[in-house]
Amino acid sequence: MSFKPQEGERVLLREDCAEDRLKSGVLILTNKRILFQKTEGRMATFSKKEGEIILDIPLQAISAFRAEGFLVKKFVIVAVDQTYKFGVFSNSKWEKELRQAKGL
């Protein structure tokens, strides 16, 4: 199941990462929402199989977000009384893009 943007929606950032509890997947930021799609890796073929979208949060539902960490960088999102910590390559880039997408 591949992610397909809704009409009028565009992908701003997309990155393979891992969330502390949800494990490995792809984090996707669009101009309307943030999503996390599970993936399953196969070491024998070095391929990844896309799984289901297990997180789909409208931007207006995100109450707080921040970049944290120095060596182990995390992009932290708080939404609907849940905190998610994503291990991304450039947490400051995610923070900047989400700030712009929310119009802050």
Side-chain angles (χ1 to χ4, degrees), residues 4-91:
K4 297 206 182 341
Q6 299 169 347
E7 190 169 321
E9 183 176 35
R10 65 185 192 288
V11 175
L12 304 174
L13 284 176
R14 180 185 189 114
E15 184 175 332
D16 286 346
C17 68
E19 199 279 332
D20 288 359
R21 288 166 302 170
L22 303 175
K23 303 301 177 207
S24 64
V26 178
L27 185 62
I28 304 165
L29 173 64
T30 76
N31 58 323
K32 295 184 178 185
R33 56 194 171 141
I34 195 156
L35 305 104
F36 187 71
Q37 183 176 18
K38 287 288 284 176
T39 58
E40 293 178 22
R42 298 204 174 112
M43 287 302 291
T45 59
F46 295 110
S47 65
K48 278 192 180 177
K49 179 181 162 195
E50 291 182 342
E52 63 183 300
I53 294 173
I54 58 173
L55 202 60
D56 186 344
I57 305 169
L59 295 185
Q60 64 268 25
I62 298 172
S63 57
F65 58 94
R66 66 186 179 278
E68 79 176 26
F70 181 68
L71 292 176
V72 179
K73 295 179 180 183
K74 301 279 183 173
F75 178 57
V76 182
I77 296 172
V78 179
V80 197
D81 297 329
Q82 287 282 343
T83 300
Y84 302 97
K85 295 185 175 192
F86 298 96
V88 293
F89 180 69
S90 176
N91 56 3

